[in-house]
Amino acid sequence: MAKTEPKRPRGLTGVVADWSSDQRSFKSASWGKAMMWIFLVSDTFIFSCFLISYMTVRMSTTVPWPNASEIFALDIGGRQIPLILIAIMTFDLITSSGTMAIAVNCAYARARRKAALMMLATAFFGATFVGMQAFEWTKLIQEGVRPWGNPFGAAQFGSCFFMITGFHGFHVTMGVIFLLIIARAVWRGDYDREKPGFFTGRKGRYEIVEIMGLYWHFVDLVWVFIFAFFYLW
């Protein structure tokens, strides 16, 4: 006689029963994906705190806040073009999301050479973004902007700018490094041969490329919020 499963309690009691049982909370997700999602949620809290603190400081300061269109303008051909570098940086990251998505599709299709090339292209766009950000930092530092001061207005501008963009730039830099590591492993076919080493635990499993894609898309999404709140406001 078939054994019938006990009925699940309703309401809040059922929710507590699910989470207190000896089952995986992420039943349809692998361990790697679950851990990446947990990391991204925690990172979301950190970036949210940074942006909320920035908005609080900006709305509470009595000193005029610098005009982003003037601060981040570039002199091209004798004309000041506002936010041109920021626009290029944003387009660069959005493009990298596209190449990362293609890399994930190619990896699951076992087109490992194409997947590796798309990951290398993503890393190139990421490194280009970091390079443009370094140019932006250098320009502002030469103009006198510091974490503790700012000749263009509110002193808090410098600390907010270097903290938020620096923390995001660090994420992009780490992403580029791991993209290069995983792209090398994919290109060599380490996942097909189940070669021992970092990120190569299971044969024929290219899920690590998708996990890397989750991280990269998150970094790109965070930049959209930074672009909106810091540069367009």
Side-chain angles (χ1 to χ4, degrees):
M1 186 174 180
K3 183 180 179 180
T4 59
E5 295 184 0
K7 291 185 178 180
R8 176 184 177 276
R10 295 183 178 182
L12 183 60
T13 305
V15 176
V16 174
D18 283 345
W19 282 86
S20 60
S21 63
D22 57 343
Q23 300 179 27
R24 288 173 55 189
S25 300
F26 299 89
K27 295 181 181 179
S28 61
S30 66
W31 181 255
K33 280 187 182 179
M35 292 301 100
M36 177 54 73
W37 277 115
I38 292 174
F39 168 75
L40 295 181
V41 170
S42 64
D43 226 20
T44 299
F45 290 141
I46 297 176
F47 277 107
S48 298
C49 289
F50 282 171
L51 290 175
I52 291 173
S53 299
Y54 159 74
M55 289 186 287
T56 302
V57 168
R58 180 164 179 176
M59 290 185 294
S60 61
T61 182
T62 57
V63 181
W65 199 262
N67 189 340
S69 296
E70 298 176 358
I71 296 296
F72 300 106
L74 287 182
D75 189 350
I76 301 177
R79 295 180 56 189
Q80 289 288 323
I81 302 179
L83 300 178
I84 181 63
L85 180 62
I86 311 304
I88 296 174
M89 293 167 66
T90 304
F91 177 79
D92 177 88
L93 273 190
I94 292 175
T95 304
S96 72
S97 278
T99 56
M100 189 69 237
I102 296 174
V104 174
N105 289 334
C106 291
Y108 279 125
R110 297 297 188 269
R112 57 186 180 86
R113 294 295 174 90
K114 292 181 180 179
L117 288 175
M118 287 296 100
M119 294 181 72
L120 291 175
T122 305
F124 170 78
F125 285 123
T128 302
F129 176 88
V130 174
M132 288 187 287
Q133 191 171 67
F135 172 80
E136 180 187 38
W137 275 42
T138 303
K139 176 177 176 294
L140 290 182
I141 291 174
Q142 290 176 346
E143 293 173 351
V145 179
R146 299 291 187 275
W148 55 85
N150 166 39
F152 303 107
Q156 298 93 329
F157 171 83
S159 59
C160 290
F161 171 78
F162 290 119
M163 177 184 67
I164 295 175
T165 61
F167 192 61
H168 178 265
F170 171 77
H171 279 70
V172 177
T173 303
M174 292 297 101
V176 169
I177 293 174
F178 279 96
L179 278 169
L180 295 175
I181 294 173
I182 298 173
R184 180 173 179 266
V186 171
W187 180 271
R188 297 191 309 179
D190 291 352
Y191 298 104
D192 292 331
R193 296 193 301 269
E194 200 173 3
K195 181 179 179 180
F198 292 109
F199 314 115
T200 57
R202 297 180 181 178
K203 185 176 182 179
R205 291 294 298 272
Y206 286 88
E207 191 181 68
I208 186 65
V209 180
E210 183 182 1
I211 295 174
M212 187 66 234
L214 291 175
Y215 174 85
W216 193 259
H217 293 316
F218 169 79
V219 170
D220 293 352
L221 180 61
V222 169
W223 176 255
V224 172
F225 284 94
I226 295 175
F227 176 76
F229 285 99
F230 205 94
Y231 296 100
L232 297 184
W233 183 11

